[in-house]
Amino acid sequence: MAERIAGPEIERLIQLLARLPGLGPRSARRAALHLLRKREELLGPLADAMQVAREKIVVCSACGNIDSCDPCTLCRDERRNPKLLVVVETVADLWALERAKAVSARYHVLGGTLSPLDGIGPKDLNLVNLPERVASGQIEEVILAVNATVDGQTTAHYITELLNHLPVRITRLAHGVPVGGELDYLDEGTLAAAMRSRTDF
Ligand code: ZN
């Protein structure tokens, strides 16, 4: 344990910052110092924003996204293609797809993946209302944008079974060569998947 170099209030701030993803103890100290130096411009507004977030943040009852309103901003957005529904594991995945402007669609956030080894079953995920949601809307295609992991693929298979009585197309993300990737550096699994998912040129 590092020696204390500040009072308990500042040490607590550093300890809390160090729990943020991507921030170790060193960067947490640097961030804390920066915040303390910029008390008026940064620390105050940040504390206020955190307080508001703490009070206002809700889980969207339609899709499982996190927002300050329910239904969430994405579910309310009329410009999105109502025929496409993208199933993701986490809100982080949803944000990643939105950042990439990958698709104009609505989302369904599972909140994790099925994992028999960890005792995570369908009831632990946001799966129960999925068939009803797909059946009741104008949805024509369900895109399974889950991770290319064993649990992600198990979950994708489960969802396919869950929806197979409905007249919707079910697709999944392609597995293969990353943009800018060199074949020589790819692992065998990725390379084999890329060969299987080849498309017309
Ligand atoms: Zn929503």
Side-chain angles (χ1 to χ4, degrees):
M1 205 64 196
E3 248 180 79
R4 280 182 157 202
I5 54 167
E9 296 81 6
I10 293 176
E11 285 294 339
R12 177 154 172 74
L13 178 63
I14 294 167
Q15 279 168 15
L16 288 171
L17 286 169
R19 287 198 213 164
L20 294 173
L23 283 194
R26 271 177 78 116
S27 336
R29 270 179 200 287
R30 207 173 302 142
L33 194 57
H34 188 72
L35 286 168
L36 295 171
R37 277 202 192 117
K38 307 252 174 195
R39 224 167 4 157
E40 295 305 318
E41 312 101 284
L42 197 55
L43 186 58
L46 181 67
D48 292 345
M50 284 178 155
Q51 182 67 28
V52 171
R54 186 180 167 177
E55 286 164 9
K56 289 266 175 83
I57 296 309
V58 285
V59 174
C60 175
S61 54
C63 75
N65 185 18
I66 290 174
D67 206 341
S68 54
C69 50
D70 179 19
C72 72
T73 307
L74 301 186
C75 283
R76 285 167 195 243
D77 185 355
E78 298 284 335
R79 291 163 305 176
R80 287 174 180 265
N81 186 346
K83 295 175 184 170
L84 294 179
L85 184 73
V86 183
V87 177
V88 291
E89 291 176 17
T90 63
V91 174
D93 297 337
L94 184 163
W95 285 5
L97 287 168
E98 283 295 301
R99 266 201 319 273
K101 296 187 172 56
V103 67
S104 165
R106 297 229 161 79
Y107 291 90
H108 196 87
V109 185
L110 297 173
T113 46
L114 295 174
S115 181
L117 284 178
D118 297 320
I120 300 172
K123 289 197 181 71
D124 302 307
L125 303 178
N126 180 26
L127 268 174
V128 181
N129 67 343
L130 183 59
E132 194 188 309
R133 192 175 174 204
V134 172
S136 62
Q138 306 155 264
I139 296 161
E140 291 177 3
E141 180 178 351
V142 175
I143 303 167
L144 303 175
V146 291
N147 291 337
T149 55
V150 173
D151 287 345
Q153 297 311 300
T154 305
T155 309
H157 281 294
Y158 182 87
I159 294 172
T160 308
E161 293 287 312
L162 198 65
L163 302 179
N164 73 358
H165 63 288
L166 296 169
V168 288
R169 185 175 170 221
I170 299 175
T171 54
R172 66 170 173 95
L173 297 184
H175 299 162
V177 183
V179 174
E182 295 178 33
L183 298 193
D184 194 23
Y185 288 95
L186 293 184
D187 65 279
E188 291 82 2
T190 304
L191 205 47
M195 187 54 85
R196 280 198 302 274
S197 325
R198 66 189 181 276
T199 55
D200 288 326
F201 194 71

